[in-house]
Amino acid sequence: MALIALLAEAAPVMLRGAGYTLLFALASMVGGLALGVPVALMRIAPLAVLRWPATLYVSLMRGTPLLVQIFVIYYGLPGIGIEFTPVTAGVLALSLNSGAYLSESLRGAIVSVNQGQWRAGFSLGLGYGQTLAHIVLPQALRVAVPSMSNTLISLIKDTSLVSVITMTELMLATKEVIATTFQPLPLYLAAACIYWMLSLGFEQLQRLAERRLNRAHGSR
């Protein structure tokens, strides 16, 4: 009974934090996709002047810890006059990080498309951009959806790191409840269950997207 009372008392605060977690994750997903798609296209571009900046960005984001990136954006940039609110810094860091991984998933999928598809597009009189948009990308997306979805789902868990810059989300809300109740184990387990439920919801969306893309491909 004591455990039920504890969870009932903590639920409003933790669920509010979970709502913020979901909003931050969705905002970061949009930001990550907005960065990942053009970076992937730059990585496969014929011009080296486009490939090198994209390659450097991907290497930097994948080669450094997300926590360090958050610290650099929120605590480091003010040293040169660039300041962000905790929310903006958190979403920016998550977007930059996920954008690099999403770009690699999409790039790998594009490269996996048979070169004959490119030649077929060129033989029809299509240019590079038209062949990419109308022939290659639709096939690549079907391949890339599982790995891209995994990156987006991981954002749900990665939002816990932004609690270090006092951004209100599920983990910080849980810590605040623990500070008043002194019951860390059940509350951390409850937070883990909430993260799990959120991830399961996005996994279901991933399966729906895969089925839709497979049906669209099969109907052609």
Side-chain angles (χ1 to χ4, degrees), residues 64-212:
T64 56
L66 175 56
L67 187 60
V68 173
Q69 295 166 18
I70 293 171
F71 281 162
V72 168
I73 291 173
Y74 186 67
Y75 294 114
L77 291 183
I80 57 174
I82 303 174
E83 296 187 23
F84 296 104
T85 65
V87 172
T88 303
V91 171
L92 179 60
L94 291 170
S95 298
L96 288 170
N97 185 270
S98 63
Y101 287 93
L102 289 169
S103 71
E104 281 299 276
S105 297
L106 185 56
R107 183 189 67 83
I110 293 173
V111 171
S112 72
V113 175
N114 192 290
Q115 288 297 311
Q117 300 294 315
W118 288 94
R119 290 193 291 270
F122 296 149
S123 68
L124 293 172
L126 300 179
Y128 177 86
Q130 292 173 311
T131 302
L132 178 65
H134 299 296
I135 296 178
V136 176
L137 269 183
Q139 298 179 62
L141 282 175
R142 188 168 60 91
V143 177
V145 162
S147 58
M148 292 177 70
S149 297
N150 289 337
T151 299
L152 296 177
I153 290 170
S154 72
L155 277 174
I156 294 290
K157 297 169 288 184
D158 290 341
T159 55
S160 63
L161 292 175
V162 298
S163 64
V164 299
I165 56 174
T166 67
M167 191 167 106
T168 302
E169 44 69 63
L170 177 55
M171 185 53 63
L172 184 59
T174 302
K175 291 177 180 178
E176 290 173 352
V177 176
I178 291 173
T180 59
T181 61
F182 305 103
Q183 296 289 333
L185 180 58
L187 293 174
Y188 279 134
L189 289 176
C193 288
I194 294 174
Y195 280 118
W196 186 25
M197 292 299 105
L198 292 173
S199 297
L200 287 175
F202 279 94
E203 287 174 12
Q204 182 61 30
L205 292 176
Q206 171 190 341
R207 286 190 287 269
L208 290 173
E210 288 180 20
R211 285 199 293 267
R212 177 165 295 185

